[in-house]
Amino acid sequence: MSEIHGVCEPRFGPVREAFARNFDEGRELGASVAVYQRGRAVVDLWGGRAGRDAAWRQDTITLLASATKGLVATAAMVLVDRGLLDLGTPIAEYWPEFAAGGKGDIPLRWVLGHRSGVVTVDPPLTMLDLEGGTAVTEALAAAVPAWEPGRAHGYHCLTMGWLVGEVIRRVTGLSVQRFFAQEIAGPLGLDLHIGLPDTRERSLACLVPPTGEQLLQGRANPELAGLNRAICDPASLFHRSTFGSLSLAGDPLAAAGLPQAEIPSCGGAGNASGLARMYAALVSEVDGIRLLRPESADRARTVEASGLDLVLRCHTSYGRGFMLPGGPMWPGDCSPTAFGHPGVTGVFAYADPDHELGFAYVPNRMTELIEGGDDRVRHLVEATHRSACG
């Protein structure tokens, strides 16, 4: 039996059981899971290995991949809640250069809902571009939408974070990295970061890609047949918006300086406790802090797009920067009002306003399903939902 550390209230015992079973059945290497309900931590568990010679500890963090989009969406919705951003205002009113290429009428909500069509960057960005920032902003301002904005939706794999981040910078004078740190992570005491701080590098778990067998299991999912074809097709929007938009030598996950770079769509780092606490603060008060008023939380989860995703080639549903239940990217049964975000590292986190709950799961064995949703997290999500409803 695997040794599981941390605390778990008796009512949420099924979560601990599901977490331990992931290890005992060989699905897991190292991981943490956390749940907040009504402002209190009711689950905070961890176990396994963070690296070859290191045990997973309470302060272990991992790269969050696309779950970072949830941090960016939180920052944007906090500014909406404060009246400093408007979801229906064209981005060009905040960022005039963005109007080039037929983008002058694209409102903020279309970017948050993956409807803007601005999904590719050509020519691809280099590591120097990512570190400098200005070249990224200029490339996005010059970009041409891949479809008529507002008429369809497709996952903004890399561009969502940079687009929203530039709007945040224009309004506040702060990068999304600094705004999140000062206005969200700092007040709530979250070990969550957009870009890995040098001070936390030693606590970073080593990511392990899925095995060939695990990848084959993931590709057997019929709902992902279109995505699996797109991954192998250099002409597909998926390929053009990911591999085709970056020019990084070798393994992108191992690129020097990449974890520290500000890549707000996928460059975050943190742990389950921090993610669960943040999502809980979106729908309830946590130690005297509530990030969004109830009406703003409702706007965050309002359906912006649902149906066939032109990039992922499967069914997806999006609110304002957050994924919503429905389709293969969302794991397990939970409240229909939930909103959150997965990541290719296996991370998944969400808020459940019906039960005033924040959930997060953070492993170091990457998922075989591109953006989370594998059996490990599905079992945890369903155990959490049963416990919260009990």
Side-chain angles (χ1 to χ4, degrees), residues 16 57 68 80-81 93 107 165 170 185 206 253 263 275-276 283 289-290 323 330:
R16 184 186 182 99
R57 304 186 311 179
T68 311
V80 170
D81 185 80
E93 291 195 18
R170 298 277 173 144
C206 295
L253 289 172
I263 309 176
L275 275 172
V283 295
I289 297 173
R290 179 165 182 151
M323 276 195 179
W330 187 280

Coordinates of all heavy atoms in Angstrom, one line a residue, residues 16 57 68 80-81 93 107 165 170 185 206 253 263 275-276 283 289-290 323 330:
R16 N -9.6 10.3 -0.5 CA -8.3 9.6 -0.1 C -8.2 8.2 -0.7 O -7.1 7.8 -1.1 CB -8.2 9.6 1.4 CG -6.9 9.1 2.0 CD -6.9 8.9 3.5 NE -5.5 8.4 3.9 CZ -4.6 9.2 4.4 NH1 -4.8 10.5 4.5 NH2 -3.4 8.7 4.7
R57 N 6.8 16.2 -1.4 CA 6.6 16.8 -0.1 C 5.4 17.8 -0.2 O 4.9 18.1 -1.3 CB 7.8 17.6 0.3 CG 9.1 16.7 0.4 CD 10.3 17.5 0.9 NE 10.4 18.8 0.3 CZ 11.4 19.7 0.6 NH1 12.2 19.4 1.6 NH2 11.4 20.9 0.0
T68 N -2.6 26.8 -16.4 CA -2.2 28.2 -16.2 C -3.3 29.1 -16.7 O -3.4 30.2 -16.2 CB -0.9 28.5 -16.9 OG1 0.1 27.5 -16.5 CG2 -0.3 29.8 -16.5
V80 N -12.7 42.4 -14.4 CA -14.1 42.6 -14.8 C -14.9 42.9 -13.5 O -15.8 43.8 -13.6 CB -14.6 41.4 -15.5 CG1 -16.1 41.5 -15.7 CG2 -13.9 41.2 -16.9
D81 N -14.7 42.2 -12.5 CA -15.5 42.4 -11.2 C -15.2 43.8 -10.7 O -16.2 44.4 -10.1 CB -15.0 41.3 -10.2 CG -15.8 41.4 -8.9 OD1 -17.0 40.8 -8.9 OD2 -15.3 42.0 -7.9
E93 N -9.8 48.7 -28.3 CA -10.0 49.9 -27.5 C -9.0 49.9 -26.3 O -8.6 51.0 -25.9 CB -11.4 49.9 -26.9 CG -12.4 50.2 -28.0 CD -13.8 50.6 -27.5 OE1 -13.8 51.1 -26.3 OE2 -14.8 50.5 -28.2
P107 N -14.2 41.3 -29.3 CA -14.3 41.7 -27.9 C -13.5 40.8 -27.0 O -13.1 39.7 -27.4 CB -15.8 41.6 -27.6 CG -16.2 40.5 -28.5 CD -15.4 40.6 -29.8
G165 N -3.2 38.7 -21.4 CA -2.1 39.3 -20.6 C -1.8 40.7 -21.1 O -1.5 41.6 -20.3
R170 N -2.2 46.7 -20.4 CA -2.7 48.0 -20.9 C -3.5 48.7 -19.9 O -3.5 49.9 -19.8 CB -3.4 47.8 -22.2 CG -2.6 47.2 -23.4 CD -1.8 48.3 -24.1 NE -0.9 47.7 -25.0 CZ -0.5 48.3 -26.2 NH1 -1.1 49.4 -26.5 NH2 0.3 47.7 -27.0
A185 N -2.3 35.8 -5.8 CA -1.5 34.9 -5.1 C -1.1 35.4 -3.7 O -1.1 34.7 -2.7 CB -0.3 34.4 -5.9
C206 N 9.9 16.5 -11.2 CA 10.4 16.2 -12.6 C 9.2 15.6 -13.3 O 8.5 14.6 -12.9 CB 11.5 15.1 -12.5 SG 13.0 15.7 -11.7
L253 N 9.8 21.0 -23.4 CA 9.7 20.9 -22.0 C 11.1 21.1 -21.3 O 11.1 21.4 -20.1 CB 9.0 19.7 -21.5 CG 7.5 19.6 -21.8 CD1 7.0 18.2 -21.5 CD2 6.7 20.6 -21.1
I263 N 4.9 32.7 -20.1 CA 4.1 32.1 -21.1 C 2.7 31.9 -20.5 O 2.5 30.8 -20.0 CB 4.7 30.9 -21.7 CG1 6.2 31.1 -22.1 CG2 3.9 30.4 -22.9 CD1 6.9 29.9 -22.6
L275 N -3.9 25.8 -6.0 CA -5.0 25.8 -7.0 C -6.4 25.7 -6.4 O -7.3 26.4 -6.8 CB -4.7 24.7 -8.0 CG -3.8 25.0 -9.2 CD1 -3.5 23.7 -10.0 CD2 -4.3 26.0 -10.1
A276 N -6.5 24.7 -5.5 CA -7.9 24.5 -4.9 C -8.3 25.7 -4.1 O -9.4 26.1 -4.1 CB -7.8 23.3 -4.0
V283 N -15.6 31.3 -5.6 CA -17.1 31.0 -5.3 C -17.4 31.0 -3.9 O -18.6 30.7 -3.5 CB -17.4 29.6 -5.9 CG1 -17.3 29.6 -7.4 CG2 -16.6 28.5 -5.4
I289 N -11.3 36.5 2.2 CA -11.1 37.0 0.8 C -12.0 36.2 -0.1 O -12.0 35.0 -0.2 CB -9.7 36.8 0.4 CG1 -8.7 37.7 1.2 CG2 -9.5 37.2 -1.1 CD1 -7.3 37.4 1.0
R290 N -12.8 37.0 -0.9 CA -13.6 36.4 -2.0 C -13.2 37.1 -3.3 O -13.3 38.4 -3.3 CB -15.1 36.4 -1.8 CG -15.9 35.9 -2.9 CD -17.3 35.6 -2.6 NE -18.0 35.0 -3.8 CZ -19.0 34.2 -3.7 NH1 -19.5 33.8 -2.6 NH2 -19.5 33.7 -4.9
M323 N -12.7 26.2 -18.9 CA -13.4 25.1 -19.6 C -14.6 24.8 -18.7 O -14.6 25.0 -17.5 CB -12.5 23.9 -19.7 CG -11.7 23.9 -20.9 SD -11.0 22.3 -21.3 CE -10.0 22.6 -22.8
W330 N -13.1 17.3 -20.2 CA -13.6 17.5 -18.8 C -13.8 16.1 -18.1 O -14.6 15.3 -18.6 CB -14.9 18.3 -18.7 CG -15.3 18.6 -17.3 CD1 -15.9 17.8 -16.4 CD2 -15.0 19.8 -16.7 NE1 -16.0 18.5 -15.2 CE2 -15.5 19.7 -15.4 CE3 -14.5 21.1 -17.1 CZ2 -15.5 20.8 -14.4 CZ3 -14.4 22.1 -16.1 CH2 -14.9 21.9 -14.8

